[in-house]
Amino acid sequence: MTALTGAEVSGYDVDVLVIGGGQAGLAAGYHLQRAGFVPGSGYVVLDANLSPGGSWQHMWESLHLFSPAGYSSLPGWLMPPSEGEDFPPAAHVVDYLSRYEQRYGLPVHHGIRADAVRRADDDPTGRLFVETTVGTWSAQAVVSATGTWGRPFIPRYPGMDTFTGRQLHSADYSLPEPFAGQRVVVVGGGNTGAQLLAELSLVADTTWVTLRPPRFLPDDVDGRVLFDVATARRKALDSGQRDTGGVTSLGDVVMVPPVHRARDRGVLVAEAMFDRLTPTGVAWADGTERPVDVVLWCTGFRPDLGHLSPLGLRRQDGHPVTVGTRAADEPRLHLLGYGDWTGPASATLIGVGRTARDATRQVAQLLGKEPASPVR
Ligand code: FAD
């Protein structure tokens, strides 16, 4: 759907407002529809991006999923295979999400940002107001699915402000070519750090620094195995058994083909994290200095939740306290995606369907609505 003007939407009332139209928002839309909420009058999805695809449309050009298409699907419709490739590229995900939106007629309004969610009054069963770039909406329940892409995280290091080279976060990286011939420090021992190191090392003079030695997953572990491990953990926890540790107990870096090839070239050698930046490079506590042109921070993201600030939610570990997907302090608010704190694998394509279904069931109950058809 296209963006609406302020005059068209100001004062608009719906039962449920979903904020964010990436995969998590779409999965919520799918389940809300199945639960009987009417697209448009019953629920809408507001998305700050001008076009469909969530943050997949902004990721670096060579990025491929770490799972085959069949393991990367939202509820209802399997992701079609990507021609000639076992692991689909990000552009394929954008296409899938665009078609998913159309296929189910999801009422997604692109180009509208929610700035603030407020309680209408002290009545805990009253409405929530959502102030947006085109006016204020009112809803009985809100699902926040705004992801993390909008809040890249860069840790603070002494000397950062004096460094005269270029610093950028992985969110602003798209291609290796602009870095050809440059001295680049890649910071971060996760998948992004390893993958960007792998491609930059083909054109640039790279150094890899990590807080702790990188933990590589076995070569035969891809997203399929990770999903199976996450599922086994969820089953164990659900049935009161001990925590198996899940995916993070296995390692951090998936050995996708470019990373595998980088290892064969002897590139995957990490040094300890530097202690400070100098005007011309980076330096370690033992006095070693290295001149560099670029520092590429592959240091992750934080939940993009500024719009929830007016609710004053209790926080823990950098995010609102939740019971499943529901905000512990606000039963009219659910959070989807972001990380495992909203449900196991909630921040993955295949995992968010289940948490979206759970959230939708609770919203339907809260609003006294029985699901129109069995939600599976
Ligand atoms: P997003 O895709 O970020 O969508 C959020 C949407 O909300 C955006 O469209 C944004 O514009 C909108 N929004 C934000 N704030 C507001 C606001 N205030 N008002 C209105 N709209 C707003 N997962 C996998 O399953 N497989 C993989 O292989 C995989 N690889 C990944 C690789 C990278 C580099 C990264 C960063 C993540 C990867 N993930 C992968 C994890 C996850 O699937 C993605 O991060 C995914 O984009 C999360 O979807 P989302 O809907 O939660 O958030």
Side-chain angles (χ1 to χ4, degrees):
M1 280 198 180
T2 50
L4 302 178
T5 66
E8 280 171 294
V9 298
S10 193
Y12 204 92
D13 289 344
V14 288
D15 294 333
V16 187
L17 188 73
V18 180
I19 306 176
Q23 64 202 35
L26 299 190
Y30 171 89
H31 279 300
L32 284 166
Q33 206 144 302
R34 292 201 73 182
F37 290 94
V38 178
S41 57
Y43 84 98
V44 294
V45 182
L46 305 184
D47 186 49
N49 269 311
L50 293 174
S51 49
S55 56
W56 292 101
Q57 61 196 294
H58 304 299
M59 294 186 188
W60 66 87
E61 289 201 7
S62 67
L63 179 70
H64 283 64
L65 292 181
F66 50 67
S67 313
Y71 272 72
S72 307
S73 302
L74 294 182
W77 182 40
L78 273 184
M79 180 187 284
S82 169
E83 209 174 310
E85 294 178 292
D86 289 340
F87 299 91
H92 186 76
V93 184
V94 174
D95 182 57
Y96 171 66
L97 296 182
S98 308
R99 290 164 62 193
Y100 189 92
E101 222 178 277
Q102 288 166 7
R103 182 185 177 100
Y104 294 109
L106 302 179
V108 186
H109 299 298
H110 288 285
I112 300 181
R113 172 171 292 280
D115 294 321
V117 180
R118 299 180 194 283
R119 299 180 180 91
D121 49 40
D122 292 341
D123 178 0
T125 63
R127 297 184 76 83
L128 296 172
F129 288 148
V130 181
E131 293 166 17
T132 78
T133 42
V134 296
T136 299
W137 296 59
S138 144
Q140 286 182 273
V142 167
V143 176
S144 183
T146 50
T148 59
W149 190 259
R151 256 191 89 201
F153 171 73
I154 297 183
R156 294 300 304 169
Y157 274 86
M160 283 178 101
D161 300 337
T162 64
F163 179 62
T164 53
R166 180 174 178 206
Q167 297 185 64
L168 75 163
H169 188 273
S170 58
D172 297 314
Y173 172 94
S174 61
L175 285 168
E177 282 75 18
F179 303 93
Q182 300 194 348
R183 297 162 301 184
V184 182
V185 180
V186 178
V187 184
N191 284 295
T192 299
Q195 290 184 28
L196 297 190
L197 171 78
E199 69 177 36
L200 279 166
S201 64
L202 295 168
V203 302
D205 174 6
T206 48
T207 301
W208 191 23
V209 294
T210 59
L211 272 181
R212 60 177 184 184
R215 301 185 313 149
F216 301 105
L217 287 157
D219 286 2
D220 57 351
V221 170
D222 64 15
R224 280 171 290 203
V225 179
L226 295 180
F227 181 72
D228 289 343
V229 171
T231 306
R233 179 182 188 224
R234 183 177 59 223
K235 283 188 180 147
L237 292 176
D238 286 353
S239 59
Q241 293 168 24
R242 74 178 172 81
D243 190 347
T244 55
V247 171
T248 48
S249 64
L250 294 181
D252 297 319
V253 178
V254 181
M255 296 307 290
V256 294
V259 175
H260 202 285
R261 290 194 291 273
R263 184 183 63 191
D264 292 347
R265 297 197 314 273
V267 168
L268 296 189
V269 180
E271 298 180 38
M273 184 60 197
F274 52 73
D275 292 284
R276 62 191 169 89
L277 285 85
T278 67
T280 54
V282 295
W284 285 262
D286 66 2
T288 311
E289 291 195 22
R290 187 161 313 159
V292 298
D293 305 303
V294 179
V295 180
L296 174 58
W297 297 96
C298 303
T299 39
F301 296 84
R302 297 289 182 263
D304 194 359
L305 294 172
H307 54 291
L308 301 182
S309 300
L311 295 174
L313 303 172
R314 220 167 356 122
R315 294 175 74 86
Q316 195 180 5
D317 302 328
H319 56 76
V321 181
T322 46
V323 181
T325 57
R326 181 173 58 77
D329 302 333
E330 179 46 81
R332 293 164 290 183
L333 173 69
H334 285 257
L335 295 104
L336 282 186
Y338 302 112
D340 280 354
W341 55 275
T342 69
S346 182
T348 65
L349 281 155
I350 196 168
V352 73
R354 182 184 166 119
T355 43
R357 183 194 62 188
D358 293 347
T360 305
R361 277 186 180 158
Q362 290 184 49
V363 167
Q365 263 175 11
L366 182 77
L367 272 53
K369 203 174 188 75
E370 289 303 314
S373 56
V375 181
R376 282 189 295 272

